[in-house]
Amino acid sequence: MMDRDEFVGRFGGVFEHSPWIAERAFDNGRIVEPLRAGPVHEALCAEFRAADHDQRLGVLQAHPDLAGKLAIAGDLTVESKSEQAGAGLDRLSAHEHARFTELNTRYMRDFGFPFIIAVKGHDKDSILAAFETRVSNDAATEFETACAQVEKIAGFRISALLPEA
């Protein structure tokens, strides 16, 4: 049986900079062996959903801007760097980068957290299109949309760590 420290060490980064989700899932008995991607994802998402609004907001705020300052400085987590590169966000033209920067600034001002999208299966154009649409959402809709995207990202990350047998 995997102990708490091993579990948190392996899955604590699935929700960006939020190991408390893995800790709570383990402590609340939601984790059963053998570990499989689907049940681990459900367990972690259940804890994320059970958290209060401010805790969930903290998870959203822990995410980096897409093609933002952290990416330019090379300060993304390994997972975020790989995900953004896979979508081509590390190869933006000056014009595209300026548009992402403009949208990031507006989005952060309006919602208080960065734009979040599970980039797997997207390219820079489809991400930009989603960004341009979602920046016009109302706050409640966008909060729920961003939370759903965080859960989707977590699912991709868990599947990479723990493929189904």
Side-chain angles (χ1 to χ4, degrees):
M1 175 76 179
M2 184 179 285
D3 70 22
R4 183 183 195 267
D5 289 341
E6 290 173 303
F7 182 80
V8 173
R10 189 166 181 191
F11 298 100
V14 167
F15 282 81
E16 195 92 5
H17 299 292
S18 301
W20 61 267
I21 295 171
E23 291 167 351
R24 288 182 187 177
F26 192 92
D27 293 346
N28 289 332
R30 294 185 189 272
I31 305 305
V32 295
E33 293 205 38
L35 296 178
R36 294 188 10 200
V40 170
H41 183 242
E42 282 302 314
L44 296 180
C45 287
E47 292 300 334
F48 177 62
R49 291 177 197 139
D52 66 33
H53 181 273
D54 288 345
Q55 290 169 320
R56 293 171 77 201
L57 177 59
V59 173
L60 300 182
Q61 290 171 332
H63 278 261
D65 290 348
L66 290 179
K69 295 180 291 285
L70 291 177
I72 293 167
D75 290 336
L76 295 174
T77 63
V78 171
E79 296 86 358
S80 289
K81 183 177 182 177
S82 174
E83 291 158 359
Q84 289 198 28
L89 296 180
D90 60 340
R91 299 178 299 280
L92 297 176
S93 69
H95 175 74
E96 291 166 333
H97 187 266
R99 183 66 179 141
F100 269 93
T101 299
E102 176 188 331
L103 288 167
N104 278 326
T105 300
R106 178 177 165 200
Y107 190 97
M108 183 63 100
R109 180 196 69 222
D110 291 352
F111 299 113
F113 54 88
F115 177 75
I116 301 167
I117 188 168
V119 298
K120 187 174 182 174
H122 283 281
D123 61 20
K124 61 186 179 181
D125 295 325
S126 64
I127 293 167
L128 188 57
F131 208 157
E132 289 175 335
T133 298
R134 286 177 46 196
V135 76
S136 298
N137 281 346
D138 64 81
T141 299
E142 194 53 29
F143 183 84
E144 290 307 317
T145 302
C147 286
Q149 289 297 307
V150 164
E151 290 185 14
K152 191 172 182 180
I153 293 165
F156 290 140
R157 290 178 177 180
I158 291 167
S159 291
L161 292 170
L162 193 65
E164 291 290 352

